[in-house]
Structures are given as structure tokens and as C-alpha cells.
Amino acid sequence: MAMEDFLAFPALSLTLPIFTFFLFLYTLTRKTKTLNLPPGSYGWPIIGETLAFVNQDHHKFISQRMRKYSPKIFKTNILGEKAVVICGAAGHKFVSSNEEKLFQVWRPHSMQRLFHTYTEKFNSAAEIRLVKTPGFLRSELLLEYVQVMDSLVAQHFNTYWTNNKKVIEVHHLAQLLVLNISSQYFLGLEDQARIQKLSKLWDTMMFALHVIPLNFPGTIYYRAMKAAKIVREELKVLIKEKRVTMAAGVKMNDVLSFMMNNPDSTGRYVTDDEIAGKVMGLVSAAFNSPAMTTAFIVKYLGQRPDVYDKVRKEQEEIRRSKKEGEGLNWEDIQKMKYSWNVALEVMRVIPPLQGTFREAIVDFTYEGYTVPKGWKVYWTMSTTNMNSEHFEAPEEFDPTRYEKSSSVQPYTNIPFGSGPRACPGKEFARLQLLTFMHHLLTKINYWDVLNPHTKVLGGLNPIPIQGLHIRLH
């Protein structure tokens, strides 16, 4: 090789990758420009419309853009990702019908880092199998858990509600109750001191599920990451304790033990850190939304004497049918029809989770617009649950609207999602909410809501920032 050829070789080796990179960018930009993308705005450079998305009233954020761009689909840039919002009942059905065909599940980067899933490529079907394989959340297997749930809720009321306290903060107690139930069911953990510690840590994490992941002192996300680290270490300690106990021949029947003893959907036994991350995700789902719905049930029952009287009558009839000391059973839960309608209406007016994300795994077309592969797809209940086309007088709190099956159209009020990605814990949450309502209405005469206009956090999680305070009678 000639000297000049030798000198030219490194220059060529550098030029070729750079040329290829810019050619790729040009091709990608040209492709995006030629696509018929949905109308909308990307907002500010880098941050897009994230600040409004996570801080503004969610229904306001969505409805403003539906009016401005399209009532069916619009584009935006949120949480560091280009995304489309698919709206309405038809949009809900489209997303639900195309799981694993056009979409896969996607979690915001803040959640991925909190739960240590940022290195994983999510597989929706695998996640569902991971939860459903042991059958912990199937309704037929919850039959055996009704009495346990009833006992836990009764103990909760005896400890925190009927001990002569006049003023209580409902949201915090709801969190404590829900985590106590979830800890025993998912983790096999009964130590109340450890559960109370975890409850405070999980509460800190909940404020940072859908935020810009700025991890430096003073930010919400920094506090959440510290809390997540402590929770993960606590779970690892619990896993080690369980291994010792199981080695001694003790059988355990909880989700955590199942994960420890069985491979995942690929046949691989996962590490303790991975188990901790997956359990953190499961418990978070069973912690945040049910606690919020429980608190807002108390709020609406306290503000609507007519609704309160109907629920109380239903629950008192069930109580009178029981023998002394006899707990609830599955048949009792099925009788609580009006009570469940109240819970559904609470979740319509204040969805426990405003929406969720998917990722496009191929280019697809919807309503004449093309959504490129890799873009995020967001569906939200706020496009249907307060829409007068689906619910007459949507601002009114009216549980009777569910008494006629024809009055509520499919894909309009779906707090648990729908299709293959519907929440597998729906029956578990239903059991918890109805058991709580039974004890609330049979143990407490009535209550006053002291801060009915409590400020509710914007964004995806409607958390009452100052809590919900009531005075018991």
C-alpha cells in the first residue's frame, strides 16, 4: 500500500460512518415529512408539552386539543416522546383490538427507572402471563380470599376508625389499608411496622410516576428515587427471609414466593433485583388507584345523603342476614350491586388513572393519518367519561345510570382498561372496595367532609394533595 493510500484510509474510515449517520437522519426526516401525520403541536423544544400534561387538569389538557386539532386523534410531545392521543370510544376500541398487533405496552422513563425496567423491552403478553399463571387474581380463586379480606378490613376499622377519633384523613388511611391488603396477598408480609414504613415510601413514589426524570436534590423525582431504593432493599431482605423459611419446608402462597420459585415466560429464573422491580410495579398498581377510589367514595357518600342512604340500606340488609360473628362471603359481594354502581360512578367522575401508554411496533393508519413506528400512543378516559354523547349530564354524580345496561355504551367508562391489557386485578380491586364500603356503612353512622374542595393533583394521578379530612359521628 502506498503511503498516500495509508494516510487516506483513516480519513475514509471516519468519513463513511459520519456520512451514513447523516444519510440516516435525512432519510428519517424525509420520511416523517412525507407521512400524513395527525394534526397537533410538539410544543416547546425538548420538553414539548410535558409541563402542561403533568400539571394541568387532565380533562382540560385533552379537551382543549381535541377542540383545536381533532376530536379523534392529535399529535403531541410528552415525557420526552413524540406521541399521538387517540380519542373517544372508537379510539379505545381500536387500541384494545390491536394489542400485540400494532402496539406493545410502554412505561414512561420515570417509571422505568423507578422500577429498574429501563433495560427491558416490554412484552405485553409475557407480563400478562407472569401475573395470571399462578391465578392469584382470577375471581374463582378470590373466593377463598373473601374472608381474609373481610377480616383485614374489619381490623383496619377497629384500629383507625372506631377508636374515638373524631377527625381522620381518609386518603392516608386508604393507602394504609390497601397496602396492608396488598402486602399480605402479594408479598406474604404481615408485619404492621414494616407495612407502615412501606406505605410512606410508596406514597412518595406515587408523585413521580409520570414526570420528567430530573434526579437531583430538591425535585419530586429525586425523593421518589431515594424512596424506591429503600423499598427495593426492603424487598430484597424479604426475599432472603423467604428463602430461609422455604428452605425449612414452610410452604408460601403469595405472588412474591411464586416469582421466586418459578421461571418467567422465557424459562429464565430472574434475579432478586428483577423480582423486586416487578413486585414494585404490581404493588404500585394495587396501591395507588384503589386508595384514591376508596378516598373519593368516602367523599361522595359524605356529600350525597340520598346515595349514602341507598348504599347503607343495601349493606345493612347483608349484615342482618349474617349470624353473629359471621363474615362476608362471595355471595354477599355479588349482592352489592348498587354499591358497585357507586364505585363505578366515582371512577367515572375521578378516574383513578387518567390514561396509559402504548408504543407503535409498526407504522399504522388511523382516521386517515399515519402514526410512525416507535411513536407512543396514549389513550385516556377523559375523552369519554365526561362526554355528554356517552353520559347524560356527565357533571352529575348519578350511580343509577348503570342500572340499565343500554345506558352505558361499551368503551366509555373503562377504569380497568379493556381487551388483552385489561387490568388483571379488577376483581381483586372490586372485592377490596366493596368490603370497605360494607364496613364503612355498617360501622360508621355518618360523617362530614371537612375539605370537600380539596385540591387534586393534575396529570395522570388525581391525588388529593392536602388529603381528605372528615369528622366522624
Side-chain angles (χ1 to χ4, degrees):
M1 181 182 291
M3 181 61 68
E4 57 270 22
D5 294 333
F6 179 80
L7 293 174
F9 184 76
L12 181 62
S13 65
L14 289 174
T15 303
L16 187 60
I18 293 173
F19 173 77
T20 305
F21 174 72
F22 280 105
L23 180 63
F24 170 76
L25 287 182
Y26 170 76
T27 305
L28 185 64
T29 303
R30 185 178 180 184
K31 176 185 176 183
T32 302
K33 285 182 178 180
T34 57
L35 293 176
N36 183 27
L37 298 175
S41 171
Y42 294 133
W44 294 93
I46 302 176
I47 63 172
E49 297 189 300
T50 300
L51 294 180
F53 181 75
V54 300
N55 294 313
Q56 200 176 68
D57 175 81
H58 200 70
H59 178 63
K60 181 179 179 181
F61 176 89
I62 298 295
S63 60
Q64 283 180 343
R65 286 155 181 78
M66 289 176 66
R67 288 192 298 268
K68 185 175 182 180
Y69 302 118
S70 166
K72 296 181 178 180
I73 184 173
F74 62 86
K75 70 174 182 283
T76 181
N77 188 325
I78 48 179
L79 301 175
E81 299 285 343
K82 289 183 178 179
V84 294
V85 179
I86 294 182
C87 312
H92 293 171
K93 182 178 180 179
F94 176 77
V95 174
S96 173
S97 303
N98 288 285
E99 298 281 5
E100 309 304 327
K101 302 173 186 175
L102 304 179
F103 317 114
Q104 65 181 7
V105 68
W106 182 79
R107 306 281 189 252
H109 301 290
S110 52
M111 292 179 65
Q112 293 183 38
R113 290 187 173 93
L114 279 171
F115 302 142
H116 279 196
T117 57
Y118 43 80
T119 59
E120 296 180 10
K121 191 65 175 177
F122 287 104
N123 184 301
S124 304
E127 284 192 332
I128 294 172
R129 288 195 297 271
L130 178 64
V131 175
K132 287 188 174 181
T133 299
F136 286 100
L137 299 173
R138 293 206 304 267
S139 57
E140 60 267 27
L141 293 180
L142 287 174
L143 292 171
E144 304 173 5
Y145 197 70
V146 177
Q147 292 185 349
V148 176
M149 181 84 77
D150 182 55
S151 176
L152 291 173
V153 177
Q155 182 181 354
H156 171 82
F157 270 88
N158 291 337
T159 303
Y160 298 104
W161 291 69
T162 58
N163 59 354
N164 298 320
K165 282 188 177 181
K166 294 297 182 183
V167 176
I168 62 174
E169 201 283 281
V170 177
H171 184 241
H172 169 67
L173 290 186
Q175 288 180 316
L176 197 58
L177 170 64
V178 169
L179 188 61
N180 188 27
I181 293 170
S182 300
S183 293
Q184 296 203 32
Y185 196 73
F186 289 103
L187 309 179
L189 179 63
E190 300 182 9
D191 187 326
Q192 291 301 307
R194 295 173 78 174
I195 290 173
Q196 290 206 28
K197 178 182 179 180
L198 288 173
S199 178
K200 293 178 181 178
L201 294 167
W202 244 292
D203 185 36
T204 301
M205 290 164 54
M206 291 305 101
F207 284 94
L209 294 181
H210 310 98
V211 298
I212 301 174
L214 301 176
N215 191 19
F216 56 83
T219 64
I220 292 174
Y221 194 69
Y222 179 80
R223 292 193 293 271
M225 286 294 284
K226 288 182 65 177
K229 182 179 180 181
I230 298 172
V231 170
R232 186 172 290 101
E233 292 306 316
E234 290 283 334
L235 290 176
K236 288 181 181 178
V237 170
L238 180 61
I239 289 171
K240 290 179 180 178
E241 293 173 355
K242 281 182 172 290
R243 292 196 193 283
V244 172
T245 304
M246 287 188 287
V250 178
K251 292 185 178 181
M252 295 188 174
N253 189 32
D254 55 75
V255 175
L256 178 57
S257 299
F258 177 86
M259 288 184 177
M260 292 166 56
N261 291 325
N262 292 274
D264 65 9
S265 58
T266 66
R268 181 177 65 91
Y269 283 88
V270 297
T271 66
D272 287 0
D273 189 73
E274 290 175 304
I275 293 174
K278 291 181 182 296
V279 170
M280 286 171 69
L282 284 173
V283 176
S284 293
F287 171 78
N288 201 38
S289 297
M292 285 188 287
T293 299
T294 299
F296 287 118
I297 283 173
V298 175
K299 177 181 182 291
Y300 279 100
L301 288 178
Q303 293 179 294
R304 289 289 299 273
D306 56 329
V307 176
Y308 168 91
D309 288 340
K310 288 183 179 180
V311 177
R312 186 177 179 86
K313 179 181 178 182
E314 182 174 78
Q315 297 297 343
E316 282 290 348
E317 288 179 358
I318 293 173
R319 185 186 64 83
R320 286 194 295 269
S321 70
K322 315 300 292 182
K323 298 177 182 178
E324 184 69 27
E326 183 182 3
L328 294 173
N329 55 44
W330 189 251
E331 288 70 28
D332 297 326
I333 300 298
Q334 307 317 305
K335 295 176 183 176
M336 301 180 187
K337 298 185 183 301
Y338 183 77
S339 299
W340 182 239
N341 288 344
V342 170
L344 286 174
E345 185 69 346
V346 167
M347 289 185 282
R348 181 189 71 83
V349 177
I350 305 180
L353 181 65
Q354 295 282 1
T356 189
F357 289 93
R358 301 289 185 266
E359 181 179 58
I361 55 179
V362 294
D363 290 1
F364 70 89
T365 302
Y366 182 73
E367 290 294 326
Y369 298 107
T370 299
V371 178
K373 176 183 177 181
W375 276 39
K376 304 308 176 280
V377 177
Y378 179 68
W379 72 262
T380 169
M381 290 173 57
S382 64
T383 65
T384 55
N385 63 345
M386 300 301 287
N387 190 327
S388 58
E389 294 181 7
H390 304 306
F391 297 99
E392 184 179 353
E395 300 295 335
E396 293 185 10
F397 186 84
D398 181 17
T400 63
R401 68 173 83 243
Y402 302 95
E403 292 176 359
K404 295 181 180 180
S405 58
S406 60
S407 64
V408 179
Q409 303 166 32
Y411 299 101
T412 54
N413 186 20
I414 47 174
F416 299 98
S418 59
R421 286 294 304 174
C423 176
K426 175 183 176 180
E427 288 300 321
F428 184 84
R430 177 173 173 268
L431 176 59
Q432 181 261 304
L433 292 171
L434 291 176
T435 306
F436 172 84
M437 292 172 75
H438 176 77
H439 286 275
L440 175 69
L441 275 296
T442 57
K443 286 182 166 64
I444 308 297
N445 288 330
Y446 62 97
W447 58 92
D448 300 318
V449 180
L450 300 181
N451 58 335
H453 303 295
T454 181
K455 184 178 180 181
V456 176
L457 189 70
L460 275 72
N461 296 298
I463 300 172
I465 298 175
Q466 285 85 31
L468 179 66
H469 300 270
I470 64 172
R471 178 179 289 111
L472 299 177
H473 297 277

